[in-house]
Amino acid sequence: MKIAVLFASNRHGGKHEEIKQMLLSLPLPHEYDFIEMADYEITHCKQDCPGCVIKSEHRCLFGDDFEEIQARLVSADRNMIVVPAYCPYPSKFTALMEKLLGSCYLTENKPLKNKPTSIFCYCSCKIVDDTGLKILWQKYLMDDGYSFTEPNYPFLNPAFDEELNERFDRDITQYIRDFMLTAGNPDFVQ
C-alpha cells in the first residue's frame, strides 16, 4: 500500500523528520511518498485566475508545484496530512488548500473523493484539535450529504479527543505511531 505523507510545515527537520523516521521504522509493508511543503513553491490563488474564471479549466495556470502535489496525493492509496499549528496553518499549506478548492470542490472532477485520509495537527507543546481542518478537507472530498459543521466523512481518521494529550504525553509522533499500528493499519479490523 502506498501512503502519501504530506508534511505541511514550511521548514525542514524538527518534528516532521522525527515522524518520518518513525514511520520508516514501523514493521508495516507500506511504501511512503513523503511530500514536504518546504520543498515546493505554492502561490496563493489570484482572483482573476483564468483557470478558475474559465469554468472548463479549473486548474492552476500560474506554474507552481500544485499539480505535482495533487498528482502525488491522488496516486496514493491513502493520504496522511501532518500539520503544525501556526496561525492557523502554514502559508504554503493554506495556498494548497485554496487550490484544492478550485480543482476538486468546484468541479465534477473530484480526484480526492473517497480517498482515505488521516489528518494530524500539533503545536510545540501538544496534539491540537484538528476538527476545523478536517471540515475544510472534507469540503474537497465531499459529495452531497456531508456536514460543514463537523467531520463526518467516513474516510477521515477519528474525531479529536482531549484525552489524546494525556494518553500520548502530548507527543504527536507517538499518536501517529499508535494510529498506524492500530486503526491506521489497513490490516487492522476494529
Side-chain angles (χ1 to χ4, degrees):
M1 169 172 298
K2 182 178 177 183
I3 300 175
V5 182
L6 187 135
F7 291 119
S9 178
N10 293 338
R11 298 177 295 180
H12 288 284
K15 191 54 91 169
H16 286 183
E17 184 61 29
E18 179 182 307
I19 293 168
K20 179 180 180 180
Q21 295 307 315
M22 177 276 299
L23 288 170
L24 291 170
S25 73
L26 291 177
L28 299 172
H30 304 316
E31 171 190 344
Y32 296 101
D33 179 11
F34 295 107
I35 305 166
E36 295 193 43
M37 293 299 296
D39 293 333
Y40 293 95
E41 196 61 41
I42 302 288
T43 58
H44 285 274
C45 289
K46 316 248 187 298
Q47 263 186 328
D48 59 349
C49 172
C52 289
V53 173
I54 302 168
K55 300 299 183 195
S56 63
E57 290 287 331
H58 285 298
R59 64 184 191 88
C60 185
L61 302 177
F62 282 101
D64 63 11
D65 296 321
F66 167 70
E67 291 198 14
E68 179 185 341
I69 294 170
Q70 182 182 24
R72 290 171 72 180
L73 293 171
V74 169
S75 72
D77 298 309
R78 290 176 171 231
N79 290 323
M80 178 184 294
I81 315 298
V82 182
V83 184
Y86 288 4
C87 208
Y89 307 116
S91 59
K92 288 182 179 185
F93 182 69
T94 303
L96 176 70
M97 296 290 283
E98 285 178 335
K99 291 187 178 196
L100 284 171
L101 175 65
S103 71
C104 298
Y105 181 63
L106 297 175
T107 70
E108 295 296 318
N109 174 28
K110 294 179 176 23
L112 294 174
K113 182 180 174 189
N114 296 331
K115 179 73 64 175
T117 300
S118 303
I119 299 175
F120 301 94
C121 194
Y122 68 95
C123 68
S124 61
C125 61
K126 68 179 185 174
I127 302 165
V128 178
D129 181 359
D130 54 0
T131 299
L133 183 55
K134 287 180 181 179
I135 290 169
L136 283 174
W137 193 264
Q138 86 182 6
K139 285 183 181 182
Y140 308 120
L141 301 173
M142 72 175 273
D143 242 348
D144 294 331
Y146 293 99
S147 171
F148 284 101
T149 58
E150 64 179 318
N152 65 341
Y153 203 82
F155 300 101
L156 290 170
N157 55 311
F160 179 82
D161 174 352
E162 193 55 51
E163 293 177 12
L164 288 175
N165 281 301
E166 288 180 32
R167 196 169 348 142
F168 297 105
D169 196 28
R170 302 178 176 273
D171 186 352
I172 191 72
T173 306
Q174 292 304 315
Y175 174 39
I176 293 173
R177 181 182 190 282
D178 182 74
F179 179 81
M180 290 299 292
L181 292 174
T182 57
N185 184 349
D187 299 326
F188 176 78
V189 179
Q190 293 185 342

